[in-house]
Each structure stands twice: as C-alpha cells, then as structure tokens.
C-alpha cells in the first residue's frame, strides 16, 4: 500500500486507507498499558551491551540444548543439566560476584541446533551453553568465549555394519540433525564428489536421527563424536553400537555470545580461565564424562584428550 501521493511527507496527502490504518495502530498503542509499551519497545530495539542489559534487568537468559547428553539435556524433573550447563552456571556465579548482583536471576531457554544462532543474533538469549562448535561460518554471525571442549564429527553404526570410515559412506543413507556442524561438511563432500551416491537426511534433532538409525532407515548417524558416545551409552544394548571413523575435523566447542560484544566476552573468558586454572573445569569433566550420569546412570566414558588438557592448563582462544 502506498501511503503518500507524492514525496512530500504531509498528513494531508495520506490516502484514506492509510489514514485508517495509522489510526488503528495509534489507538492500539495508546490503549496498551504503559509497561507493555515499554517492554515492546525494548524488545524491538534493545541494542544495549549484554552486561549493561543484565545489570539493568537483573536477568540473564541462558540458552541450552535438551538433547545433547552429557553437555546439555533434561533430567527427570525437566531441569537442564550437563557439563556445558554446569560450566555456564559456574561462570554465572562468578558474574554474580564480580558484578555485585547477588540477586541475578537466570532464565533457562531451550534451544535447538537449528535455532540457537538466530536466538543469539536476535538478542533473545544472552549466552548459549549447549554443544556449539566455533567455526568460521558461525563467527560471521556470532562470537564465542574461549573453548571448554574439542570435538569432531564421527560415525555411529551397528557393530554389524561394514562402515568403518567416511569413505564407506558412498551409496549410503546418512542421518544428522538440522543445524549440526557435520551437515555442511558432509554436503561439501557430496557436492565435490568425494562421497558418491550418498544421501544426507536431516532430522529435527539428534534423538530422531538416532531413532532412524535404530529403525534401519539410515545406514549411519554422523555428528559430533561425544554425542555419538552418549547415544551408544544410553542405548538399551550399548554393545550393539560403535563409533567409527577418524574425525572429519577437530574443532573447539564454546559458549556462544552476541557478535562483537567484547565486554561480555572478556567477562566470560576471565571466569572460564579461573575455572580451568582452579581445577573446577577438570572436575566437571570427570563428573560428566567419566562417572555415571542421570537419569540412567550411564557412563559416557570419553577420556580427557590432550588438547583439552592443555586448555585447562593454559586457557586461551584455541581455534
């Protein structure tokens, strides 16, 4: 609809339809409670740095996955738990102390592999503590704190499968979750003809991808290796499954933040470095990767790797 008959911004030149439309919007706005008006305006254009917004509101919004054992998932009471969630909760405890915000409230917001970047970019969450790989494509849209894990895509298959490495995925159906970092890597190999005849099927989440593998609807499930170990550990019969193949890449996993929010990143990095140097991060690793975890008391059993061990000793932005 064109609201002006000429370039002159005069109310007298508004069409009747536009006058009516603007009148309706104005009436709706004026009858809206003042608090609701302020909330709507702030939500529409809140460009404040994260730390300022947290100080002003007394609330920090933490995004978390629900299907990424042992990083971030739900316990029997539907509360978010896991290695990544514990790391973030420890970071927030440091922020409470350093910012002198003893009453700081944490709002836990479920995210998926597909929507997590958009939620950060749109300012609907302040930090994401799931299982997000820091790679160049994502750094074009968001920022990351220093890594607290390193992972790479591998393959989960039945023990009876002839698939042993990625070269065996030719002419196979391969499942992964939408938004997983394995998806663009696999698509690139398919497009370049490195993988021939491979059909990549993207599922809504990891649970659906593994269920499809169990039903033999796909021949392999590809995603970050620690998730595959977790699905094997929690399967009704873990001995039926094994994780195979050399990782396509080894990449850092980190807390995701809003793009170029340098003050917030510096605060998060200081807190993380303290957790690593004080041994807290290593203890949390043991708790979630080497000991029984709820709800089924399974052991994921992934020993601490050399790269992560070095990160705990000498914290920094390792890419």
């Amino acid at each position: 609809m064109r609201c002006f008959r000429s370039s002159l911004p005069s109310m007298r030149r508004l069409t009747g339809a536009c006058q009516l439309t603007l009148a309706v919007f104005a009436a709706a706005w004026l009858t809206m409670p003042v608090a609701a008006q302020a909330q709507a305006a702030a939500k529409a254009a809140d460009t404040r740095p994260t730390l300022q917004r947290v100080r002003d509101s007394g609330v920090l919004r933490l995004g978390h996955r629900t299907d990424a054992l042992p990083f971030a998932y739900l316990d029997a009471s539907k509360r978010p738990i896991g290695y990544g969630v514990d790391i973030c909760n420890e970071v927030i405890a440091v922020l409470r102390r350093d910012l002198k915000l003893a009453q700081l409230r944490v709002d836990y917001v479920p995210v998926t592999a597909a929507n997590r970047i958009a939620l950060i970019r749109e300012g609907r969450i302040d930090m994401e503590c799931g299982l997000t790989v820091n790679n160049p494509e994502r750094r074009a849209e968001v920022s990351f704190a220093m890594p607290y894990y390193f992972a790479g895509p591998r393959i989960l298959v039945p023990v009876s499968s002839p698939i042993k490495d990625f070269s065996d995925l030719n002419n196979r159906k391969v499942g992964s979750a939408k938004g997983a970092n394995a998806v663009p890597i696999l698509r690139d190999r398919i497009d370049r003809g490195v993988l021939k005849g491979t059909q990549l099927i993207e599922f809504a989440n990891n649970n659906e991808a593994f269920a499809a593998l169990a039903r033999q609807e796909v021949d392999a499930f590809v995603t970050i290796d620690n998730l595959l170990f977790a699905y094997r550990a929690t399967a009704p019969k873990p001995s039926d499954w094994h994780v195979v193949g050399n990782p396509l890449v080894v990449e850092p996993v980190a807390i995701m933040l809003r793009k170029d929010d340098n003050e917030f990143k510096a605060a998060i990095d200081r807190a993380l470095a303290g957790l690593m140097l004080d041994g807290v991060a290593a203890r949390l690793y043991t708790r979630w990767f080497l000991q029984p975890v709820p709800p089924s008391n399974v052991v994921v059993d992934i020993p601490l790797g050399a790269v992560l061990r070095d990160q705990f000793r000498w914290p920094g932005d390792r890419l």
Side-chain angles (χ1 to χ4, degrees):
M1 180 190 301
R2 290 181 60 87
C3 285
F4 297 101
R5 295 196 181 100
S6 76
S7 61
L8 295 174
S10 169
M11 287 298 294
R12 288 176 298 176
R13 296 183 180 273
L14 286 173
T15 65
C18 282
Q19 289 177 354
L20 178 60
T21 300
L22 289 174
V24 170
F25 283 141
W29 179 261
L30 290 173
T31 57
M32 185 185 298
V34 174
Q37 290 181 21
Q39 184 179 13
K43 185 175 181 180
D46 190 352
T47 58
R48 292 171 293 173
T50 302
L51 283 181
Q52 180 183 335
R53 195 204 60 76
V54 169
R55 289 188 186 100
D56 292 345
S57 67
V59 177
L60 190 149
R61 301 160 301 180
L62 189 157
H64 65 89
R65 295 281 292 277
T66 62
D67 62 347
L69 186 151
F71 272 80
Y73 63 108
L74 302 179
D75 66 9
S77 301
K78 304 301 181 183
R79 294 182 302 110
I81 58 173
Y83 173 68
V85 174
D86 274 2
I87 288 283
C88 282
N89 284 334
E90 292 285 349
V91 166
I92 293 168
V94 174
L95 293 180
R96 281 196 181 101
R97 181 197 68 203
D98 292 351
L99 300 177
K100 297 180 173 55
L101 292 174
Q103 303 305 314
L104 178 63
R105 188 181 87 228
V106 179
D107 285 352
Y108 294 93
V109 181
V111 305
T112 67
N115 72 9
R116 54 190 167 176
I117 293 176
L119 293 179
I120 281 282
R121 197 177 58 242
E122 295 164 4
R124 293 163 65 184
I125 57 176
D126 300 312
M127 56 195 296
E128 188 264 345
C129 305
L131 181 56
T132 301
V133 164
N134 175 358
N135 61 28
E137 294 77 17
R138 289 170 179 165
R139 287 197 297 275
E141 300 186 77
V142 297
S143 291
F144 291 90
M146 66 171 64
Y148 59 91
Y149 190 79
F150 294 86
R154 296 181 67 189
I155 309 166
L156 182 67
V157 291
V159 293
S160 58
S161 172
I163 296 171
K164 305 300 179 186
D165 209 339
F166 284 92
S167 59
D168 298 322
L169 296 180
N170 292 321
N171 301 308
R172 302 282 187 176
K173 291 183 178 180
V174 178
S176 194
K178 291 180 180 177
N181 74 311
V183 170
I185 296 174
L186 289 170
R187 287 220 177 277
D188 176 68
R189 292 193 166 208
I190 293 170
D191 293 343
R192 291 190 291 114
V194 177
L195 292 176
K196 297 178 174 61
T198 303
Q199 183 181 353
L200 177 59
I201 303 173
E202 295 181 56
F203 294 90
N205 53 51
N206 291 309
N207 290 340
E208 290 188 13
F210 180 65
L213 178 65
R215 294 192 300 266
Q216 300 181 4
E217 294 173 4
V218 295
D219 301 299
F221 173 23
V222 176
T223 194
I224 289 180
D225 50 10
N226 74 282
L227 280 181
L228 300 180
F229 281 105
Y231 276 98
R232 184 190 67 177
T234 56
K237 193 174 179 182
S239 59
D240 285 348
W241 308 95
H242 61 175
V243 178
V244 299
N246 292 316
L248 288 175
V249 291
V250 176
E251 296 178 300
V253 173
I255 298 170
M256 185 165 52
L257 313 169
R258 196 169 68 184
K259 179 74 172 172
D260 296 330
D261 196 342
N262 296 327
E263 183 188 21
F264 192 43
K265 172 176 165 54
I268 299 295
D269 282 348
R270 282 194 300 271
L272 282 169
L275 297 178
M276 293 173 186
L277 293 172
D278 291 344
V280 175
R283 289 195 294 273
L284 290 177
Y285 187 94
T286 299
R287 163 75 181 86
W288 290 102
F289 289 93
L290 301 175
Q291 295 177 353
V293 299
S296 304
N297 290 323
V298 298
V299 180
V300 178
D301 195 21
I302 305 178
L304 181 64
V307 178
L308 187 56
R309 185 181 296 112
D310 286 348
Q311 174 71 353
F312 288 168
R313 289 174 178 168
W314 304 288
D317 268 327
R318 298 168 188 265
L319 299 178

